[in-house]
Amino acid sequence: MKKAILPAIYLTLSMTFVTGIIYPLFITAVSQLIFPGRADGSLVKVDGSVVGSKLIGQHFTGDRYFWSRPSSTDYNALPSGASNYGPTSDSLKTLVERRRADFIQLNSLPSNAIVPAEMLYASGSGLDPDISPEGAELQIERVARARRFGPRGREALAKLVRRSVRGPQFGLLGEPRVNVLLLNIALDTLHVTGRKTS
Amino acid sequence: MKFGTLDVLQVALFILSLAVLTPIIGSFMAKVFSGEKHFMKSFLGKTEELIYRVCRINPAEEMNWKEYTFALLAFNFAGFILLLLFQEVQQILPFNPQHLPAVSWDLAINTAVSFVTNTNWQSYAGETTMSNFVQMVGLTVQNFLSAATGIVVILPFIRGIIRKTTDDIGNFWVDVTRTTLYILLPLSVILAIILVGQGTVQTLTHYHTVKAITGQGQVIPVGPAASQIAIKQLGSNGGGFFNANGAHPFENPTPLTDFLEMLSILLIASGLVYTYGRLIGSMKQALVIWSVMLVLFVSMLSVSLYSEWTFHPAYASTPTMEGKETRFGITNSVLWEVATTSASNGSVNAMHDSMTPLSGMVALVNMMTGEVIFGGVGAGLYGMFHFILLTVFIAGLMVGRTPEYLGKKIEAYEVKMAVIGVVAPSAAILVFTAIGVITRGGISSLNNSGPHGFSEILYAFTSAAANNGSAFAGLNTNTVFYNLSQSAGMVIGRYSVIVPVLAISGSLARKKSIPPSPGTFPTDSPLFGFLLIGIIIIISALTFFPALALGPIVEHFLMLAGKTF
């Protein structure tokens, strides 16, 4: 029995070297070589400065931008996380009812409008970068009004939202969605050209 | 939101991919274990020999079951000490760009036990607790080694069946080294690089601080995540690099990564059943086991999908998206939930705590069966051995003959050991849950009240004893009570199953092999499959129905009645 003790220690150390040092450093080197931008976090730049990651959602308030989903961490990534409220939670019920009322009121929707589920419920990561196409469409009127878009600007905005929709990957996997940060960045440039042409 | 064609297609593609990959990976693993020539040997053969030389291991030496068990325990204990140490001194080690301090003692014990037992319960939030050094050199290593430990346990059992009148059941060091080098490492390299190509981060720099277009600041944590996530999925580990685990966009950025990570959860466990058939020389035996696993998997998946798509709280007009990511939607969240809880993986891409009661119950039941529906790598199959022996024994009682399995007589010793392997983890779940619900330390951590609160505690101890690691994560388990009681649960759940399997293996190897007679109950028939399913369901249901009735079942009816707590 005793003779197992030394190999146990040596093998643990050897494997630590192979799987804990060589392996992750090898993956880091290969990744940095062939996918440098993605390995570093898919950062997005506007006018040369980094404004976020296209994979990490951000909090948008006010009427001039499209809103992300509710987040139990308020898009603070340190650490990520969810509400973990169960289906019979009173707190969740209160939150969802308030979010629905707010979404309907602030977007001037009819009181019986069906608000897409992702705009009522917080995500698992608290950092969900996406909303559903419906979630984006229902916000078009509000954003257009806040930016004082005329009919042409409004049409351009609707087109932008449609263009921003990413369907299921390979037409099969996952759900259709709109990346809120990328949409809002595109929205800012739309605003500039909109002003110039009108 | 409606359950549609795309949902059906994705589930079908998942099951089909698993079925296609199973024989491919299974036959490769059979070659590795039997020491035959295979292509990975030309890459890493030299490394294998070097490791034996450095560690003074004689690869030709055989062990009896006690030596094998002791080697396994010593190896796991060494890993535990090293991981504990790294967490306690991470502030003075390199690769700590955020200058994170030492981990508290009870959390460090919990994490070390958790990763060594292949549970990978997370009482910590990775991005604010663990340095890159601990993630890479500590946690990633145990992701590999605990997985390898689980896989190798099936090998002595196989040798026990095919060998006759011997004490030798193999060499633990050789089994573990080959499994890590030739199976886990290459698969992880492939998966990790695909993940980075989709957006999973892999870098050693400090976190990014950015100024958003709204003028607000945001800190974006990064790290060597892809290398850890690959083995976390493949090795049925499940401990995330980030707190949100597979829901975090940096761990699981796209539907494709989601699909591949889900497939990886079941890949090796499913392949091992094929490997088993290869090595015992009867694919029909393996097919029955695999079919039993698949039938249970599809049944559980159907219940969970039905519950998530059909039932929702009275105040909602749609299925709930609480705790789910937009890019995955409901079906992929449920598919992952069922895969990760059948397979003792425990990673999540959606929060189980927020799922509908019956869906949460499916997760609980998957774990309560002892994780034998594909199960953890190795762990699923060796857990299944216990149920197979019990089934053979009960079938033998019914026809009044001495039960036998693959030419080996199953006697009192084997049955006693199999019963320990089934009962001990179940007892740990129920006893610890009972302690949890009657002590202040247990209930002060609750995030939800009413029956859901009870489910949170039940889930925590079920997950620990089943070495799963997923959570009803609202429960705050980073307390001394939970960190230590969970650690005990994880140790009992792991070794009270492994040691009896090894004891049975030793006993089987010593026996003569008897040719099948007309009185032998065949174990490669559909009839045996039905009996096996029956035994698994009856044992789990008898043990856990009362607890489930107090938690998810009563919550389901209260939810439909519009009650909240």
Side-chain angles (χ1 to χ4, degrees):
Chain A
M1 296 285 164
K2 266 188 202 153
K3 70 180 181 180
I5 292 171
L6 280 182
I9 296 169
Y10 292 151
L11 191 61
T12 302
L13 295 174
S14 312
M15 286 301 186
T16 298
F17 184 70
V18 174
T19 61
I21 296 175
I22 304 280
Y23 161 72
L25 293 184
F26 171 75
I27 299 291
T28 309
V30 173
S31 309
Q32 291 291 338
L33 205 67
I34 52 178
F35 306 113
R38 293 179 177 190
D40 281 339
S42 307
L43 300 175
V44 185
K45 283 186 180 175
V46 170
D47 300 329
S49 56
V50 177
V51 297
S53 159
K54 73 172 187 181
L55 293 175
I56 302 294
Q58 292 183 354
H59 188 54
F60 291 97
T61 47
D63 288 340
R64 292 172 44 81
Y65 285 112
F66 286 88
W67 299 329
S68 305
R69 297 180 61 177
S71 158
S72 70
T73 67
D74 217 9
Y75 290 94
N76 175 352
L78 293 177
S80 52
S83 73
N84 283 303
Y85 287 134
T88 51
S89 156
D90 225 2
S91 318
L92 181 63
K93 180 185 178 187
T94 314
L95 276 174
V96 168
E97 280 169 351
R98 197 171 62 219
R99 287 170 188 156
R100 177 188 288 119
D102 285 353
F103 193 88
I104 285 178
Q105 194 205 341
L106 296 169
N107 287 294
S108 318
L109 302 173
S111 62
N112 61 350
I114 292 188
V115 180
E118 87 281 358
M119 301 308 297
L120 299 177
Y121 293 103
S123 63
S125 60
L127 302 170
D128 193 341
D130 304 313
I131 56 178
S132 71
E134 301 77 44
E137 269 159 35
L138 292 175
Q139 300 184 53
I140 291 176
E141 274 306 308
R142 188 195 80 238
V143 173
R145 225 177 312 122
R147 294 191 174 234
R148 295 166 199 252
F149 282 173
R152 273 180 60 199
R154 201 168 292 219
E155 182 53 37
L157 180 57
K159 225 183 245 172
L160 173 68
V161 168
R162 278 198 298 275
R163 252 189 298 132
S164 304
V165 174
R166 277 198 296 171
Q169 212 169 359
F170 315 117
L172 176 64
L173 299 176
E175 302 289 322
R177 59 205 194 275
V178 174
N179 185 303
V180 181
L181 175 61
L182 296 183
L183 174 63
N184 281 331
I185 290 173
L187 175 63
D188 273 348
T189 60
L190 185 77
H191 178 63
V192 173
T193 52
R195 228 180 3 204
K196 271 178 194 163
T197 49
S198 63
Chain B
M1 287 210 297
K2 269 196 185 130
F3 186 75
T5 324
L6 276 185
D7 297 289
V8 178
L9 281 177
Q10 290 182 78
V11 173
L13 182 70
F14 178 77
I15 292 172
L16 188 73
S17 308
L18 185 67
V20 169
L21 289 172
T22 294
I24 300 173
I25 182 90
S27 55
F28 174 71
M29 291 192 290
K31 279 185 191 167
V32 171
F33 296 144
S34 57
E36 281 173 55
K37 270 213 171 119
H38 55 82
F39 70 99
M40 279 313 300
K41 228 173 183 157
S42 46
F43 291 110
L44 293 168
K46 287 266 175 345
T47 312
E48 185 191 348
E49 285 164 27
L50 184 68
I51 287 175
Y52 296 151
R53 215 160 341 123
V54 171
C55 304
R56 294 177 211 170
I57 291 163
N58 173 9
E61 193 180 287
E62 286 281 335
M63 297 176 174
N64 65 34
W65 83 266
K66 284 182 182 157
E67 289 165 336
Y68 201 98
T69 308
F70 189 78
L72 183 149
L73 296 176
F75 183 61
N76 282 190
F77 189 70
F80 166 76
I81 295 290
L82 194 65
L83 184 49
L84 191 62
L85 189 73
F86 283 161
Q87 294 178 75
E88 289 307 312
V89 296
Q90 68 169 359
Q91 71 281 15
I92 56 166
L93 293 171
F95 298 119
N96 187 1
Q98 299 308 119
H99 306 290
L100 296 167
V103 179
S104 71
W105 67 273
D106 53 317
L107 180 57
I109 289 177
N110 181 283
T111 308
V113 168
S114 167
F115 276 71
V116 168
T117 56
N118 201 249
T119 312
N120 309 62
W121 177 272
Q122 284 179 274
S123 278
Y124 63 92
E127 59 269 55
T128 50
T129 317
M130 301 295 179
S131 73
N132 285 344
F133 186 93
V134 172
Q135 299 257 29
M136 269 175 17
V137 191
L139 301 179
T140 303
V141 172
Q142 281 310 319
N143 271 281
F144 277 98
L145 301 185
S146 66
T149 300
I151 292 174
V152 303
V153 172
I154 67 165
L155 299 175
F157 187 87
I158 292 170
R159 293 175 188 130
I161 286 169
I162 54 184
R163 293 180 182 178
K164 289 160 216 152
T165 57
T166 173
D167 275 334
D168 301 340
I169 57 164
N171 182 314
F172 175 77
W173 313 121
V174 172
D175 290 343
V176 127
T177 305
R178 286 184 182 159
T179 303
T180 310
L181 286 184
Y182 299 136
I183 298 168
L184 298 175
L185 204 52
L187 284 172
S188 302
V189 168
I190 297 168
L191 183 61
I193 290 172
I194 298 176
L195 291 181
V196 179
Q198 289 286 304
T200 304
V201 291
Q202 180 73 24
T203 171
L204 295 170
T205 57
H206 52 78
Y207 298 175
H208 304 296
T209 305
V210 304
K211 198 172 169 208
I213 51 174
T214 54
Q216 283 173 320
Q218 190 183 31
V219 178
I220 299 178
V222 290
S227 53
Q228 185 172 336
I229 290 153
I231 184 62
K232 149 203 159 195
Q233 296 304 114
L234 285 161
S236 63
N237 294 286
F241 192 90
F242 299 103
N243 190 41
N245 207 297
H248 197 291
F250 276 164
E251 288 208 12
N252 192 4
T254 66
L256 176 65
T257 58
D258 190 67
F259 186 82
L260 294 175
E261 289 182 21
M262 280 195 294
L263 201 54
S264 304
I265 291 177
L266 298 181
L267 180 68
I268 293 181
S270 174
L272 280 172
V273 182
Y274 187 94
T275 309
Y276 177 66
R278 246 314 158 76
L279 293 177
I280 60 168
S282 166
M283 289 315 297
K284 269 177 90 181
Q285 298 280 349
L287 188 63
V288 169
I289 299 175
W290 196 81
S291 308
V292 165
M293 291 173 167
L294 189 70
V295 166
L296 289 169
F297 180 79
V298 173
S299 317
M300 292 299 186
L301 179 63
S302 309
V303 174
S304 191
L305 276 174
Y306 182 74
S307 174
E308 278 293 298
W309 279 103
T310 315
F311 303 117
H312 46 76
Y315 58 82
S317 49
T318 54
T320 108
M321 281 291 284
E322 187 70 21
K324 299 189 183 79
E325 298 286 295
T326 311
R327 61 195 179 283
F328 307 139
I330 290 181
T331 296
N332 281 307
S333 301
V334 172
L335 187 54
W336 184 304
E337 175 225 8
V338 177
T340 196
T341 50
S342 338
S344 120
N345 185 289
S347 61
V348 292
N349 76 346
M351 298 304 135
H352 296 180
D353 213 348
S354 299
M355 288 187 165
T356 49
L358 295 185
S359 210
M361 184 172 81
V362 164
L364 276 164
V365 171
N366 276 341
M367 297 188 284
M368 286 165 172
T369 60
E371 299 282 23
V372 295
I373 308 171
F374 297 107
V377 291
L381 192 54
Y382 67 66
M384 192 60 113
F385 292 152
H386 288 312
F387 280 110
I388 289 173
L389 295 185
L390 288 180
T391 307
V392 166
F393 174 69
I394 290 166
L397 283 183
M398 288 193 281
V399 292
R401 282 173 194 273
T402 312
E404 55 193 72
Y405 181 57
L406 300 173
K408 299 282 183 165
K409 271 195 178 143
I410 303 304
E411 291 162 300
Y413 182 76
E414 286 80 24
V415 175
K416 271 186 212 158
M417 288 295 147
V419 168
I420 292 174
V422 170
V423 170
S426 306
I429 293 171
L430 294 175
V431 171
F432 280 120
T433 302
I435 296 171
V437 294
I438 56 168
T439 53
R440 276 184 73 87
I443 51 179
S444 60
S445 289
L446 288 176
N447 181 50
N448 286 280
S449 32
H452 198 79
F454 173 74
S455 300
E456 282 186 335
I457 296 178
L458 178 65
Y459 198 107
F461 288 110
T462 304
S463 178
N467 296 140
N468 184 280
S470 70
F472 271 10
L475 187 74
N476 168 28
T477 53
N478 188 12
T479 62
V480 174
F481 170 76
Y482 277 104
N483 277 332
L484 298 185
S485 57
Q486 293 275 77
S487 301
M490 291 187 275
V491 169
I492 295 170
R494 181 75 164 173
Y495 300 104
S496 74
V497 185
I498 285 184
V499 176
V501 175
L502 292 173
I504 292 170
S505 309
S507 163
L508 292 180
R510 274 196 301 271
K511 290 175 198 257
K512 286 182 298 205
S513 193
I514 41 175
S517 69
T520 305
F521 186 73
T523 50
D524 56 359
S525 61
L527 176 63
F528 182 77
F530 284 117
L531 274 177
L532 184 54
I533 291 179
I535 297 288
I536 293 169
I537 292 176
I538 289 166
I539 290 180
S540 312
L542 285 178
T543 315
F544 293 110
F545 184 78
L548 293 171
L550 291 173
I553 294 176
V554 71
E555 191 193 7
H556 174 73
F557 291 111
L558 290 171
M559 180 183 84
L560 294 185
K563 288 265 194 306
T564 51
F565 299 89

